[in-house]
Amino acid sequence: QVQLVESGGGLVQAGGSLRLSCAASGRTFSSYAMGWFRQTPGKERGFVAAISWSGSSTYYAHYVKGRFTISRDNAKNTVYLQMNSLKPEDTAVYYCAAGNPHTFEGAISDRAYNYWGQGTQVTVSS
């Protein structure tokens, strides 16, 4: 079992930055790949970024690549999402997730993840 808690969301102006954090409980954090997803009311969760257990491989949705950076610190049991050049369309609840995808196709699917945080709200004003 893994418990995940996101933090770092808030209200920012377009073009601003936020850094989201996801703290995991337990001592097996490094065994999991981690992903970030986002969701707006009435829509399914959409993939944002993922990182392998070692941090050596990362994947990004095309609409955030070049603006967002996913990273992890296994010693701190924490995964981060640095979000720069934020746009109003980035407004959503952001969730972190833990799982064991083995391909890009698997990593971008929420079905590849077994554990989810409660979400943190990101609002970008124009």
Side-chain angles (χ1 to χ4, degrees), residues 1-7 20-25 28-39 45-53 57 59 70-72 74 77-81 93-101 106-120:
Q1 298 294 317
V2 177
Q3 290 77 47
L4 305 172
V5 179
E6 303 97 332
S7 62
L20 305 184
S21 298
C22 175
S25 66
T28 60
F29 175 74
S30 63
S31 298
Y32 296 93
M34 300 294 297
W36 285 97
F37 292 76
R38 67 189 187 186
Q39 187 171 26
R45 281 185 296 213
F47 172 75
V48 176
I51 188 167
S52 64
W53 65 268
S57 299
Y59 303 99
I70 188 171
S71 62
R72 67 190 298 165
N74 288 345
N77 289 349
T78 301
V79 63
Y80 305 95
L81 185 68
V93 177
Y94 283 71
Y95 299 89
C96 69
N100 289 286
I108 66 174
S109 171
D110 59 5
R111 292 185 176 271
Y113 300 88
N114 297 318
Y115 307 101
W116 295 84
Q118 84 288 350
T120 185

Side-chain angles (χ1 to χ4, degrees), residues 82-98:
Q82 178 67 46
M83 305 186 295
N84 299 325
S85 301
L86 283 162
K87 305 174 181 179
E89 51 262 45
D90 294 319
T91 296
V93 177
Y94 283 71
Y95 299 89
C96 69

Side-chain angles (χ1 to χ4, degrees), residues 47-70:
F47 172 75
V48 176
I51 188 167
S52 64
W53 65 268
S54 67
S56 62
S57 299
T58 57
Y59 303 99
Y60 296 94
H62 69 89
Y63 35 82
V64 304
K65 191 172 184 178
R67 299 189 297 121
F68 293 8
T69 302
I70 188 171

